Amino acid sequence: MTLDPGLALDVDSLLDDPKTRIVVCCGSGGVGKTTTAAALGLRAAERGRKVVVLTIDPARRLAQSMGIDSLDNVPREVKGITGDGELHAMMLDMKRTFDEIVEAHADQERARAILNNPFYQSLSAGFAGTQEYMAMEKLGQLRSRDEWDLIVVDTPPSRSALDFLDAPKRLGSFLDGKLIRLLMAPAKVGGRAGMKFLNVGMSMMTGALGKLLGGQLLRDVQTFVAAMDTMFGGFRTRADATYRLLQAPGTAFLVVASPERDALREAAYFVERLAADKMPLAGLVLNRVHGSGAAQLSAERALAAAENLEESRIVDQEGGKVGVRNSLGNSPDTPETSASEAPSTPEDPHSPEDSPEDQLTQLTAGLLRLHAERMRLLAREQRTRDRFTALHPEVAVAEVAALPGDVHDLAGLRAIGDRLAADDDPAGAA
């Protein structure tokens, strides 16, 4: 597929621009966000920048492709980088990030009470939206350290990739919600003694919650809320700051998709959502695009050629097929043979009775049919891409040709980077 030059995304210019400090890769699941993020980070590092890649992918493919035994909440330098830059990689540890926030913003006694609280342990391990919020927290931490020229973020593999953007608002709504305010009320008026000052309606409500949640759970939640009360404002403040950081000119969003109808429909949604939230969109990465070295041979012509070859072979049978030919019209030099006495036609396409010419004909016809299937796939991908670009003509696109196998090392990531940048040099640019 050939892109209009006006629609082509200039990936190298984006990565080389010192004003680009954050690149966020988003998209639906299974489209190659993790590989794209790692390839972008590697290419930027080998072009001279100091880069950290933050992934939230539990499959740990990033660690494998970068030759690191394991990734955790601490950036680890990737060896084998050519050029003057550096590449670091890390994987978000959601619970550890939450623990670090508590330890950093509470005194030792209060931090211990929070970390040991059963409700906190459940919240930090799997509360809906916690992973996305902690990804935002970690991004804010990395940016505030100002240690890296470029941060590349692989967004969480959630049902909607833009949960990453919604998490701060959802957490803020949770912390400001009526339930939290209700649970905070006893603590604000003095713990158990303060309960005497609660009105009858509040007491009834608390009793109802106790029956609904269970007495112990309610006490755990109240203890947690009391301990976290002074930290809630900090959560909201940092979330708002990171959200503004994502809207800033130094951030670039890349929507990653495959050339399939459902993936590009999701990509269109992401593009529209980013625009609505005033997030800076750099373009679309169209991943795993198929191509052909013989695109001038159409599917129709390939199929017609295959049929012609097969028909000519049926008409001009030789060797072991003589009995079939004689049953239809006997030669004067041979005795009559009935159709029932004729040797059966072998089913094996490469039977010993086939001449080398027959086998070559069958192989050629098979290859022509495979080519026809490939050309139909290319046409379908192009129609799908053209529908997207017709709806969003303003979005620049970078196409990444499909590799023959999985990416499992730096060489594979470099190959992806070359395709991202439409670089003809297989060694890549260092």
Side-chain angles (χ1 to χ4, degrees), residues 5 47 366:
R47 295 176 71 86

Side-chain angles (χ1 to χ4, degrees), residues 41-366:
L42 175 62
R43 191 169 183 86
E46 295 193 332
R47 295 176 71 86
R49 302 197 70 179
K50 187 175 182 181
V51 186
V52 61
V53 177
L54 169 63
T55 184
I56 306 97
D57 186 351
R60 303 186 183 275
R61 290 189 305 273
L62 180 65
Q64 296 167 2
S65 65
M66 293 185 169
I68 299 174
D69 292 336
S70 64
L71 292 178
D72 53 25
N73 225 33
V74 178
R76 300 184 182 278
E77 186 170 2
V78 178
K79 303 299 182 183
I81 305 301
T82 61
D84 299 327
E86 292 181 19
L87 178 62
H88 297 75
M90 62 183 297
M91 180 178 292
L92 178 73
D93 183 330
M94 178 178 67
K95 188 178 188 314
R96 183 60 207 144
T97 300
F98 210 152
D99 291 350
E100 288 172 355
I101 296 168
V102 171
E103 292 165 352
H105 295 91
D107 59 61
Q108 188 174 358
E109 183 178 350
R110 180 168 296 200
R112 189 183 307 112
I114 294 171
L115 296 177
N116 292 331
N117 183 275
F119 180 73
Y120 167 79
Q121 292 172 358
S122 297
L123 176 72
S124 60
F127 188 77
T130 304
Q131 185 183 51
E132 290 81 4
Y133 177 80
M134 289 305 143
M136 295 280 277
E137 279 276 356
K138 183 57 66 176
L139 173 59
Q141 291 174 13
L142 292 171
R143 185 67 182 85
S144 65
R145 288 164 62 178
D146 206 26
E147 186 176 344
W148 292 277
D149 298 336
L150 178 64
I151 302 168
V152 182
V153 182
D154 165 36
T155 53
S158 48
R159 184 173 183 180
S160 168
L162 290 179
D163 285 347
F164 183 67
L165 300 180
D166 292 330
K169 293 180 181 178
R170 285 205 309 273
L171 184 67
S173 298
F174 170 71
L175 298 178
D176 288 332
K178 292 180 181 178
L179 176 61
I180 290 296
R181 291 203 303 270
L182 174 66
L183 295 173
M184 286 172 62
K188 285 180 178 282
V189 294
R192 290 183 179 178
M195 290 295 289
K196 297 177 181 178
F197 298 98
L198 292 176
N199 59 34
V200 175
M202 178 68 74
S203 299
M204 291 177 62
M205 180 66 73
T206 305
L209 283 171
K211 291 179 181 178
L212 179 66
L213 301 176
Q216 185 58 50
L217 176 58
L218 179 60
R219 286 190 291 274
D220 290 341
V221 173
Q222 287 177 321
T223 304
F224 165 75
V225 170
M228 291 285 287
D229 183 21
T230 57
M231 295 180 59
F232 285 161
F235 277 109
R236 285 189 291 270
T237 300
R238 289 191 303 278
D240 291 343
T242 304
Y243 196 82
R244 289 193 298 272
L245 180 65
L246 290 174
Q247 293 175 317
T251 299
F253 279 82
L254 287 174
V255 177
V256 184
S258 57
E260 299 168 2
R261 184 177 59 182
D262 290 345
L264 278 172
R265 185 185 294 121
E266 286 289 299
Y269 164 72
F270 295 148
V271 166
E272 292 160 8
R273 172 65 197 280
L274 290 168
D277 285 9
K278 297 182 173 59
M279 298 290 173
L281 174 65
L284 170 75
V285 173
L286 200 56
N287 222 354
R288 303 169 187 156
V289 177
H290 294 90
S292 172
Q296 67 275 15
L297 178 59
S298 68
E300 292 74 15
R301 288 176 58 199
L303 285 174
E307 289 171 2
N308 287 338
L309 282 171
E310 290 169 340
E311 287 174 1
S312 65
R313 182 172 178 273
I314 291 171
V315 170
D316 187 20
Q317 300 285 359
E318 296 178 1
K321 293 13 174 239
V322 66
V324 176
R325 187 171 65 244
N326 287 342
S327 69
L328 301 176
N330 293 326
S331 166
D333 299 323
T334 57
E336 273 194 30
T337 306
S338 68
S340 61
E341 296 171 333
S344 61
T345 304
E347 293 183 3
D348 183 358
H350 297 300
S351 150
E353 296 175 354
D354 285 341
S355 68
E357 291 80 4
D358 287 335
Q359 294 182 19
L360 180 59
T361 297
Q362 291 179 48
L363 178 60
T364 304

